[in-house]
Amino acid sequence: MEVNSKEKLISILNQKCPICGKGHVYRKRNHFFQLPVMKASCEVCHYHYDREPGYFLGAMYVSYGLAVFQGVLAFLIAILLFDDLSPLTLSLIVVSVIVGFSLWNYKLSRVIWMNIFPN
Ligand SMILES: [Zn+2]
């Protein structure tokens, strides 16, 4: 089963299984403030997500990279759109963007990590 890069990117953004691209990696949330809960394995291909103890430690680096990218992007957009922002306002904008995307980054970084190192 050959998957092209566009389908792979869509599968990652939809947080689907790195092997089959069909099963959801995370359980549905019961309420808005619930933290993401990862399923033990894929419901379609039975791929076990947590390969070994500490497998997802490397996903922290992916999450860090995503947060830095979003922070830099927010900074650049803010200084391009508004020319008289104070350093404090700029900092608050960058921190809000990073904190706002943190849960999404947490989930996405694990899926990216599983796609980089599936075995
Ligand atoms: Zn699967």
Side-chain angles (χ1 to χ4, degrees):
M1 170 172 69
E2 186 63 35
V3 181
N4 69 34
S5 56
K6 185 183 171 194
E7 288 173 349
K8 193 61 146 176
L9 183 66
I10 290 171
S11 157
I12 290 172
L13 289 175
N14 287 325
Q15 297 153 6
K16 299 284 181 84
C17 170
I19 303 300
C20 66
K22 292 185 175 81
H24 287 276
V25 173
Y26 293 93
R27 297 182 195 283
K28 286 201 185 309
R29 293 190 295 185
N30 293 328
H31 54 87
F32 184 76
F33 294 104
Q34 183 182 7
L35 291 174
V37 178
M38 186 174 237
K39 293 177 181 169
S41 58
C42 177
E43 69 260 14
V44 178
C45 68
H46 306 292
Y47 173 75
H48 189 66
Y49 293 135
D50 197 1
R51 308 305 296 168
E52 58 190 9
Y55 174 69
F56 288 112
L57 282 177
M60 287 191 307
Y61 299 107
V62 177
S63 178
Y64 174 74
L66 287 171
V68 167
F69 173 74
Q70 291 155 355
V72 168
L73 202 63
F75 175 80
L76 292 175
I77 290 172
I79 60 169
L80 285 175
L81 291 181
F82 313 101
D83 32 317
D84 56 345
L85 286 177
S86 71
L88 178 67
T89 311
L90 269 174
S91 305
L92 286 175
I93 289 171
V94 170
V95 167
S96 332
V97 165
I98 290 174
V99 169
F101 279 103
S102 61
L103 275 185
W104 189 69
N105 286 346
Y106 170 82
K107 291 163 73 174
L108 192 64
S109 64
R110 285 179 166 221
V111 176
I112 291 172
W113 188 254
M114 285 193 291
N115 276 277
I116 297 172
F117 301 106
N119 292 313

